[in-house]
Amino acid sequence: MNEADEVVVVVDALRKNDPETDDIIEALGHKQIKAILLLNKVDRADKQRLLNLAKKLFDTGVFKEVFMVSAMNGEGVEDFKNKIKSLMPEGPFYYDEDQITDMPLRMFASEVVREKLFLNLREELPYSLTVETDNFKEEEKGIRIEMTIYVEKEGQKKIILGKNGSFIKKIGQSARLELQEILESKVNLFLFVKVKENWQEDKTRYTSQGLKFD
């Protein structure tokens, strides 16, 4: 965090107990970093509770500014984007203009699917799943991508699959179209859902992506 130009902490305004945010606030306090607080889902939150939450978090002393947005309907998003843009220092291009990302394509593809899941699921479930790319292979007929969506409980698996597989099919179609546009190639996307309790504690998930696990 010390190397970042700015730190933004995104908080779901509908979540009542959020130990993850508490841990982040504690870490920011120890490092004496002033961050921007971004409260999301304000369109669905009770206004008084929202104001109380904003005050409670701001009073921790680690936030220098608060933004309230709704990613769903766009409320407040433009103001936040303009603020971030104004804070970013000018610098040289580190990558080619046509380079999409410095993230490995396998990881990038899984992030596209994870985004679709987050946008279509509600409440706590998105925080209980992860997506991993098992196979990413360029073939004559296009790019074949196989992914596994890991959840913690059998009931969550049923939600991801949907009735007669309708939900997972919807996610797959949406992700495939976006990947085809970005990769400029036909994409054959295969999604699988598996239950893996405590997947967040699996060290191999992090080390395989070049990340540290403490």
Side-chain angles (χ1 to χ4, degrees):
M1 285 190 290
N2 290 323
E3 298 179 358
D5 293 314
E6 292 291 334
V7 175
V8 179
V9 179
V10 182
V11 175
D12 184 338
L14 300 180
R15 297 186 75 183
K16 295 181 179 180
N17 298 314
D18 193 356
E20 294 174 356
T21 299
D22 293 338
D23 291 342
I24 292 172
I25 290 174
E26 183 178 354
L28 290 171
H30 286 318
K31 294 179 179 293
Q32 297 184 328
I33 295 175
K34 291 290 185 178
I36 295 173
L37 173 62
L38 184 68
L39 289 170
N40 189 26
K41 299 184 182 178
V42 299
D43 57 314
R44 297 171 54 200
D46 176 78
K47 298 305 178 186
Q48 188 57 53
R49 183 179 178 279
L50 179 62
L51 292 174
N52 292 340
L53 176 62
K55 184 179 185 304
K56 174 186 174 183
L57 293 174
F58 188 79
D59 286 348
T60 61
V62 303
F63 297 110
K64 58 184 178 181
E65 202 162 353
V66 180
F67 284 85
M68 300 184 183
V69 305
S70 168
M72 181 65 71
N73 64 25
E75 179 184 347
V77 172
E78 199 62 32
D79 289 339
F80 172 69
K81 288 168 62 177
N82 290 335
K83 179 63 178 182
I84 292 298
K85 187 185 297 185
S86 71
L87 294 172
M88 293 299 99
E90 292 187 5
F93 285 105
Y94 291 104
Y95 307 100
D96 295 335
E97 290 187 22
D98 60 349
Q99 185 171 341
I100 302 169
T101 175
D102 63 333
M103 184 185 296
L105 287 178
R106 292 171 64 96
M107 190 183 302
F108 177 73
S110 66
E111 285 300 301
V112 170
V113 173
R114 196 163 71 95
E115 177 195 40
K116 302 304 179 187
L117 289 165
F118 267 65
L119 291 175
N120 286 276
L121 291 169
R122 296 182 179 274
E123 305 303 335
E124 304 296 328
L125 185 53
Y127 300 93
S128 302
L129 63 81
T130 189
V131 182
E132 294 185 10
T133 302
D134 304 312
N135 183 38
F136 189 106
K137 185 177 181 181
E138 294 188 25
E139 301 177 336
E140 289 186 9
K141 296 183 179 180
I143 301 174
R144 180 184 178 90
I145 306 176
E146 298 174 5
M147 297 185 190
T148 300
I149 301 168
Y150 289 103
V151 294
E152 296 177 331
K153 301 177 182 178
E154 191 66 35
Q156 295 170 343
K157 178 180 178 180
K158 293 179 180 178
I159 294 174
I160 299 296
L161 291 174
K163 186 176 181 180
N164 298 322
S166 59
F167 185 80
I168 193 69
K169 182 178 180 181
K170 173 185 175 182
I171 296 298
Q173 289 177 336
S174 178
R176 179 176 58 80
L177 291 174
E178 182 171 335
L179 286 169
Q180 285 184 160
E181 182 177 352
I182 294 172
L183 300 174
E184 298 181 340
S185 172
K186 180 180 179 181
V187 172
N188 296 307
L189 179 62
F190 300 87
L191 300 179
F192 307 92
V193 186
K194 295 182 180 180
V195 177
K196 188 175 184 180
E197 294 183 5
N198 301 318
W199 58 261
Q200 299 181 62
E201 302 300 321
D202 184 359
K203 293 184 179 181
T204 59
R205 288 192 58 256
Y206 302 89
T207 55
S208 64
Q209 299 176 37
L211 302 174
K212 294 182 179 180
F213 182 92
D214 295 323

